[in-house]
Amino acid sequence: MRNTTIQTACFFCMLFFSINTFGQEPVDFVNPLIGTSNYGAAFPGPIAPRGMASISPFNVAGPQNRPLEKDSQWLSNPYVNENTFLTGFSQVNLSGVGCPDLGVLLLMPTTGAVETNHLKYGSTYSKEVAKTGYYSVDIDKYKIKGEFTASKRVGVSKFTFPKGKSNILLNLGLGLTNEEGAMLKVVSSTEIEGMRTVGSFCYNSPEDAYPVYFVAKFSKPANHFGVWKKTPKYEGTEAQWMGYNGKTRMMKNTIKTVVGDSIGTYFSYEFDKKETVEVKIGVSYVSIENARENLERETGGKSFDAVYKETYDEWNKELSKILVEGGSYQDKVIFYTALYHTLIHPNTLNDINGEYPQIKRTKIGRTTDTRYTVFSLWDTYRNMHPLTSLVYPKQQSDMIKSMLEMYDENGWLPKWELNSTETFTMVGDPASIVIVDACLRGIQDFDIYKAYHAMLKGADQFEENPLRPGLKEYLDKGYLSTNYPGPVSTTLEYNTSDYAISLLAKALGEKEDYKRFTKRSLSYRKLYDKDLKLLRPRTATDNWYEPFDPIAGANFQANVGFIEGNAWQYAFMVPHDIRGLIKLMGGDKPFSDQLQKVFDIKQFDMANEPDIAYPYLFNYVKGEEWKSQEMVHKLVREHFKNEPKGLPGNDDTGTMSAWLVYSMMGFYPISPGDPIYTLTTPMFDKITIQLDPRYYKKENIVIQREINSDGKIKEIQLNGKTLNSFFISHDDFVNGTTLKVIQE
Amino acid sequence: MRNTTIQTACFFCMLFFSINTFGQEPVDFVNPLIGTSNYGAAFPGPIAPRGMASISPFNVAGPQNRPLEKDSQWLSNPYVNENTFLTGFSQVNLSGVGCPDLGVLLLMPTTGAVETNHLKYGSTYSKEVAKTGYYSVDIDKYKIKGEFTASKRVGVSKFTFPKGKSNILLNLGLGLTNEEGAMLKVVSSTEIEGMRTVGSFCYNSPEDAYPVYFVAKFSKPANHFGVWKKTPKYEGTEAQWMGYNGKTRMMKNTIKTVVGDSIGTYFSYEFDKKETVEVKIGVSYVSIENARENLERETGGKSFDAVYKETYDEWNKELSKILVEGGSYQDKVIFYTALYHTLIHPNTLNDINGEYPQIKRTKIGRTTDTRYTVFSLWDTYRNMHPLTSLVYPKQQSDMIKSMLEMYDENGWLPKWELNSTETFTMVGDPASIVIVDACLRGIQDFDIYKAYHAMLKGADQFEENPLRPGLKEYLDKGYLSTNYPGPVSTTLEYNTSDYAISLLAKALGEKEDYKRFTKRSLSYRKLYDKDLKLLRPRTATDNWYEPFDPIAGANFQANVGFIEGNAWQYAFMVPHDIRGLIKLMGGDKPFSDQLQKVFDIKQFDMANEPDIAYPYLFNYVKGEEWKSQEMVHKLVREHFKNEPKGLPGNDDTGTMSAWLVYSMMGFYPISPGDPIYTLTTPMFDKITIQLDPRYYKKENIVIQREINSDGKIKEIQLNGKTLNSFFISHDDFVNGTTLKVIQE
């Protein structure tokens, strides 16, 4: 999704990367600094697989960090690798998104007198070390070393202070977005409880701003503690009475509850030698009590090192579901880091006792599995969820169950759900695709009929339908007119969803629905402009929209017709009907030429989803498959690197990373909803994907590459038998044993 | 204390007063509207004796209420009788104070669409009925009747709505002061919980702002509910992202915690006929849980009427400790209303489970008696506490225990304590006087030696002494110089405290201390200017302060020398040494002439404490006692009436009212600390004061007036024996049976 290209040089990359540990386990190949520049929007700090809590260094506040400063430009991440001014460590964070949210509960160690203004207490930093589940950094101004790890719902920080007066600040005012409002109470000299308002994602639906609750426990009792509150500035007669007007009030050693927009606490220590303090911060979206229970049950009695070890092991277990052999160290790093990035979102919403806030926060729900959240479905339906279905099917199943719970709670499947708020970001009705795709890949341990019913509601209900605005026109005309924003894009999204529904209808024997939705899925054809060989917006009177510039819309510029893209970037976004599109375009050659032109005229955008499958589309033209092989390889090399700017743009909650994981393994889910893959050259000699016996019959799939050249594929064999196309069904794939790709 | 005279006519008095119920019990004579104009600062709504919760109509916001509008001038009360624009009903309130605080948790019923801006939803009102423990009013705009009662920690509101859509708003943004910050959570369609920041009194010590927690329960489940939050206004780039910048966000049917400076909830109903809803709001200064427990244990399962009946009965029991016979209806009204006003503050701080926040809110304490708060001691030491010692000695005992707990918690006796914050308002060290006075009147069931130790600390410790600034100079010179604010006033206060300490030292056999403090108590004499026959400030070089205007300082104007007064209003404020002052002035005649002059030149201020005992001082001059009798009678008639402006100014947490109670009973505690009374003409035929057998031997005291003229006193008899002076010791008084005052 949203991304802006930036050319700022990465001054510090070499320095940081020389420190990375070289190990042998998959987990040791992860470099969390990848994607922390170039608007990748990843953060380098620790998180457990699909964790609720995470810790990120926060360096996007303060004029020192301009231009990549959170208030002076749109910035969706708490950390930017080239920034230099650190103002704390946020305890809840989003990874790889295009809008800011979370990035709050800022913990900051300082020394000397307590200073509560982050512009004054901030510092440069050095000696960053980022590993799976671990981050450390030296805070220059104070000569403090910070180390960080996390369990699923608890961030653990460890500060090594020099001798003298030291402080740990928990700033509840500063945060990534403009949302404000916090409450806190110092429970004792070792504990703080409270909440902070976060949301609303993209500044949409601001009434849905919601609380994150927390409990912080300190390993050493503070010698002094206190709360600060900055008072808003009053004017007029009444201001004369307030000596403290606009100033910060310091409240010492108090256990009273303090609320406000700009508040924080400090815990101060007097050390007569170098000392460490560990701070555990448990979070919850339900209550302070649950945050405390999360903290106690996940990390109670455990040292920093013990928590780190558990998270490290958990990551290694997850990442080891795919073992790669051969290939360079750097390739292993970008591969496992990408796999790591696909295991961050969707993440856990429920507390350890099973409780979670239901959609719209009208009730507290309870789950015995995992309630997932952060469904950036417009991004993730394309490849992230199919990958999860293959490698982590139980997680995918729980994600579908979470989506169906949302339907129960809210009456609608999610569109872009975040911590039980529906942000309604982006267009289309992607939940149906995700569910059908998983179902047809064999994940069926959920209420399929309920899911089908939910899909039909979203696809058919005209009145107050939050998922498909313009549905009536879409059904009347076959497309949305320029009366709606991004009408071509939205039409294509609806078509794709309708295709997925048609597949499920067919599987369920719902013949009428099958026919109906199959027909609906092809209506994009009415937007095909034969002269331009592009899809083009039409007005409400069915005329082509004029004046029409097919280039307009590149680099996320707003334009009539398309959302986050232009006519070139959407021309082939009919993954379910590429063969139909080939016919429309006049056959293989014109199709292939037009597809090639996208790249030639530099309209292919690796940093966004609409055209993400383009490199694979040459596989639809017999004899041109080598172009896909070349293009995918080229794009991998060009856009994915072991460096902070090593992602093409926003990771989009793992979508870019999932693209890389697939592309390096040599297959890609070319038509979301359809359980098929198209094939290309793997970038490792051998890839072993462990299959979950609860969902798959075979123990694993092995992909082998023969002849170590980068030449064209000569032959592909499944269990020794030659495949006669560059497509393979999911069933054949998971029930085969070995896929061998033989290069020339 | 603070007061500004206002001449605005009371347009509505006649209307309101015609509705008052005429009853026979003491409780039925109370008119809570007395003191709600002329800066009396009383509120007309319900409160239980010494209750923590109370309800006041809130009509001090909005331009409609100017000039008596809370932000356009200093206003210390939630209600002003002549104002017309009502914006809710506050659930915690102070009575008769000179600085604003509390006046928050504003409940407001409306009809139609939900409007959250108080300037828009406010209304005129009519048909006010104010009785002990009960208030009702019609809210014109909505045709809603509101009725209100309260138990000790719970306010109960009952709204009668017309058919249609109705709403009950709980506005946590609006409040009496500029302090902001609140948190709330709708627990269910019948319950809200939360907190609101209040303080700091007089805008002093703003870091001591503190939370009041609450739970609100509704008798009928809301059909819809929601929370609103007004967003602060941002500027600059970041503001562009916020479509809601500076606007109010409506959050429907949510159970999430919301915090902010300007937030509130609404509960909405759809009624198909006229309906009532009762709302119980339990409060606590400890926690939400305690607020809920207070609500449940005090009012759980009880109807509005049942709560009202209990509070009515409790008030009647308290007020019936003094029974008056004879006298007019109006005199009974002003008398019992005054007695009622002395039973509001100090009030209960502890929750029903005994918990309360300790001073400075570093810990939660627990009491098995009552922890009292709101100690406006500069006011109340003069007469309110002596009255409490006589009529409600158990309460006075618990108040002393509360003060000693504060000493334990804080290291110092209180000066002006408010809900466990020490506001340090006013001057002097009055706690000692209150404790000694009670002790010498026979209330001795507390740790007297601890109290003595605490007094000595306040009287003797130079370093960081928050009670007696300038102590060293006071001891060196005998007075404070003009280096300090209000040096004459402060010197007199220290003298008075030192006299009280000397009395206790004597009682305890501490001979050295007795001598030392006796001497200290007379040091004011160094400020006596023989020429002026007034007390006059001296500079640090011991010279008289020049230029000196004895009139400067009237009407609360700031001046060098005096706090809230001038040289005339302080000239006789040496209650413990009036005989010494007579000598200084050259004998009875010059003394009497000078005293008379205060009245003649209109420098006597009935509305403030320094000169409050002046009318009684003629009793020190043999043969002039009739002047006291006349003056007291005249002042009662002039300043105390059965109407909203029926108090001379701020009631000062019952001090003005206590003066009236004494003055109408015909005796007065002329020298605080000294267990003596001086006598004047009672204003009733018979007064029976019931004595508490836990503290006093006799069952009661009866005061009788003979011959119904307003003439001079001819003779006073105690148990039939003629008294030979107009003074009587507390012991003689409480051990006598009948005091008969025989007029000429």
Side-chain angles (χ1 to χ4, degrees), chain B residues 483-515:
Chain B
N483 282 355
Y484 289 89
V488 180
S489 301
T490 308
T491 301
L492 299 184
E493 294 293 347
Y494 291 173
N495 271 199
T496 309
S497 292
D498 288 345
Y499 177 70
I501 294 170
S502 80
L503 294 178
L504 186 58
K506 187 178 179 190
L508 294 175
E510 300 282 350
K511 288 184 183 168
E512 283 309 309
D513 282 346
Y514 169 59
K515 273 193 225 164

Side-chain angles (χ1 to χ4, degrees), chain B residues 28-229:
Chain B
D28 297 318
F29 289 102
V30 174
N31 177 9
L33 284 161
I34 293 176
T36 61
S37 181
N38 191 35
Y39 291 88
F43 60 83
I47 185 168
R50 306 208 182 280
M52 175 192 288
S54 61
I55 301 181
S56 175
F58 190 91
N59 69 356
V60 293
Q64 297 92 331
N65 289 321
R66 282 181 197 149
L68 295 165
E69 191 272 329
K70 70 184 182 69
D71 297 329
S72 57
Q73 72 156 253
W74 187 272
L75 205 67
S76 58
N77 37 313
Y79 174 91
V80 174
N81 191 261
E82 50 268 54
N83 283 356
T84 59
F85 187 69
L86 179 82
T87 53
F89 299 89
S90 46
Q91 305 289 312
V92 282
N93 303 283
L94 294 176
S95 176
V97 289
C99 288
D101 198 8
L102 304 186
V104 293
L105 310 181
L106 281 152
L107 200 66
M108 179 75 181
T110 68
T111 61
V114 173
E115 168 60 58
T116 65
N117 179 343
H118 66 276
L119 298 178
K120 292 184 181 166
Y121 69 62
S123 171
T124 60
Y125 56 95
S126 53
K127 296 187 187 163
E128 276 187 302
V129 177
K131 302 192 286 192
T132 314
Y134 177 91
Y135 174 82
S136 76
V137 69
D138 283 8
I139 301 156
D140 299 340
K141 186 173 179 176
Y142 307 111
K143 297 186 169 52
I144 295 169
K145 179 172 186 173
E147 295 173 272
F148 306 90
T149 189
S151 67
K152 211 168 280 297
R153 299 169 183 89
V154 186
V156 185
S157 303
K158 179 179 173 180
F159 299 113
T160 302
F161 292 104
K163 176 182 166 178
K165 184 170 188 309
S166 290
N167 316 292
I168 300 175
L169 313 178
L170 183 59
N171 189 335
L172 301 185
L174 184 62
L176 185 53
T177 78
N178 292 355
E179 188 60 50
E180 286 181 315
M183 182 262 288
L184 66 80
K185 177 174 154 58
V186 177
V187 177
S188 71
S189 62
T190 56
E191 187 172 336
I192 306 166
E193 64 178 36
M195 63 76 83
R196 206 321 184 152
T197 312
V198 288
S200 57
F201 192 65
C202 304
Y203 295 94
N204 288 348
S205 307
E207 65 283 358
D208 288 343
Y210 56 96
V212 53
Y213 303 92
F214 71 90
V215 167
K217 291 211 178 192
F218 294 70
S219 63
K220 290 190 170 77
N223 296 111
H224 313 282
F225 57 79
V227 180
W228 76 80
K229 175 172 181 169

Side-chain angles (χ1 to χ4, degrees), chain A residues 635-705:
Chain A
L635 292 169
V636 167
R637 290 289 167 237
E638 191 177 324
H639 293 287
F640 297 89
K641 291 171 188 163
N642 179 16
E643 54 188 53
K645 55 182 177 179
L647 283 179
N650 286 169
D651 193 29
D652 290 341
T653 69
T655 303
M656 291 299 147
S657 289
W659 187 91
L660 182 68
V661 169
Y662 276 120
S663 297
M664 292 185 85
M665 293 196 295
F667 63 103
Y668 193 81
I670 189 67
S671 175
D674 249 344
I676 59 161
Y677 301 106
T678 193
L679 302 170
T680 188
T681 323
M683 296 179 74
F684 298 101
D685 294 340
K686 186 179 174 189
I687 299 154
T688 307
I689 304 171
Q690 189 183 324
L691 295 177
D692 187 331
R694 291 171 291 185
Y695 295 88
Y696 295 111
K697 291 175 205 151
K698 293 284 168 66
E699 199 176 313
N700 56 40
I701 310 165
V702 177
I703 299 167
Q704 289 180 324
R705 179 177 66 166

